Structures are given as structure tokens and as C-alpha cells.
Amino acid sequence: GVIVALSGTGNVQLARGDYPAALELFQQALKLTEATAEKAFLANLHNSVCAVQQRLGNSDAAIEHCQQSLALAEAAGNKEVAARTLNNLGIISRQRGNHEQALEFYRRSLAVYETLDDKRGTARLLNNLGVAHNAMGDATAALRYYLRSLPIAEEIGNKAGVAGTHNNVSMIYRALGNYKLALEYSQRSLALSE
């Protein structure tokens, strides 16, 4: 009923980029859900608040909600929410410059997505692992993860994911001085983006 409507509307506001409105809706839903003790839904709501707080630049609040989400998701056996929450914790860690911690969260999330045979999540996490390795200056590892992500994104028809990964591969080849491959992947990204 009301909780699902609040959460759904919060997700729409999040997608629109209206983070304050999304946060207000998710917090209303959280208050109502806490009374029901529905751990799986509560975990999902805490993860949504985490995502909004992260986008608002409130990393401490984001981490607090992610930690609550992860504990609830694990208690409820909800692996999908646990994987998303671990990914969010990885993003926050990377943004804070804690790349080793980000890698650990990303690896844990990837393992869950692979267990669930969630190809979209797997492709996303492989790409995130590439981003983290690139930020750490390990272009070879970054390229390895991007190239593992690419066929999965292609298989599931994730055009935006394929275009973004082609762009990431292009940047790595450019950094490595392989301008021929950098141009090839950049042109693929552009073709998919048009």
C-alpha cells in the first residue's frame, strides 16, 4: 500500500535527480516500515537512502544506511539487496579515496551477483572493479576487468553499458600509448551513443 507507493515514488525522484524529494519519501517509507519489522523491505529502503545520501555527498549518512541495509539483507537472506548495498559501499569507499576497501566491497558484491547469475550486476561490478583499479594506477588490471565486463553487457543488450565500457577501454589504451586501439574503442563507444 502506502509504503510501496512512497518507495516507488522515491525511486522515480531518485531517477529524476531530485534527491531531496527522494530522501523525504524514502524516510517516510522507512518510518512506516520499521513498525512492520519486514527486514527485506527495510533493507531495500535503507539501501535506497544510502544511494540518495551518497549522491547528496553525505557519505557518513550513506555508510550508516548501507551498513543497516547490509545487516538486514543478510539477516533476511536477501542476496540481491546485499549485493547492491556492497556495490554502494564500494562506490562510497572509492569516492573517499579508499580504493583497497572499494575493491573488497566490489569483489564481495561481484561474488553475490555471480552466485545469483545476475548478468547485469556482474557486468556493472566488473566495470566498477576496472574503475577502481584504474584509479589506483593499475591500467592492466583495469583493462582486464573492462574486457570481462564487455561481452556480458553485450549479451544482455545493455547498450549504455557497452558504450561506457568501450569508452573506459579506450581511455586505458590511450594511457598505455596504444592509440590505434584507443581510437577503435572510442569510435565504437561513439557509434553506440548516437
Side-chain angles (χ1 to χ4, degrees):
V2 173
I3 296 169
V4 173
L6 286 168
S7 177
T9 307
N11 283 321
V12 171
Q13 295 293 33
L14 177 60
R16 290 182 61 231
D18 189 346
Y19 305 132
L23 184 60
E24 175 63 29
L25 291 160
F26 288 138
Q27 287 175 331
Q28 288 176 34
L30 266 175
K31 285 178 189 170
L32 294 172
T33 306
E34 285 170 347
T36 69
E38 174 55 48
K39 287 181 183 174
F41 197 73
L42 199 54
N44 195 43
L45 285 171
H46 276 291
N47 187 56
S48 296
V49 172
C50 167
V52 173
Q53 293 287 17
Q54 178 264 326
R55 286 173 178 86
L56 287 170
N58 303 327
S59 60
D60 289 338
I63 290 169
E64 180 182 322
H65 283 281
C66 274
Q67 288 171 339
Q68 290 178 55
S69 174
L70 187 58
L72 289 162
E74 288 174 342
N78 190 326
K79 292 181 179 181
E80 196 272 330
V81 172
R84 282 191 289 122
T85 302
L86 288 163
N87 181 48
N88 283 340
L89 284 164
I91 291 168
I92 296 164
S93 297
R94 183 175 48 82
Q95 289 173 336
R96 288 181 146 194
N98 191 338
H99 301 296
E100 289 294 335
Q101 186 177 48
L103 289 175
E104 179 58 31
F105 284 127
Y106 288 153
R107 286 184 189 115
R108 287 176 58 196
S109 180
L110 176 62
V112 176
Y113 277 125
E114 288 177 333
T115 299
L116 295 172
D117 197 31
D118 181 327
K119 293 184 186 303
R120 183 172 296 276
T122 297
R124 179 183 318 114
L125 264 296
L126 288 168
N127 195 64
N128 286 354
L129 281 159
V131 170
H133 278 287
N134 191 37
M136 294 173 69
D138 189 347
T140 303
L143 183 61
R144 204 170 41 248
Y145 281 108
Y146 291 147
L147 292 176
R148 281 181 57 199
S149 173
L150 195 54
I152 299 168
E154 289 171 337
E155 177 188 338
I156 62 174
N158 182 352
K159 189 176 174 183
V162 172
T165 304
H166 276 298
N167 186 61
N168 290 343
V169 170
S170 172
M171 289 190 302
I172 295 294
Y173 279 130
R174 186 177 67 225
L176 294 173
N178 189 334
Y179 300 114
K180 180 181 179 195
L181 283 175
L183 182 59
E184 182 181 318
Y185 277 93
S186 181
Q187 287 172 335
R188 289 179 191 174
S189 177
L190 181 60
L192 288 165
S193 300
E194 292 178 332

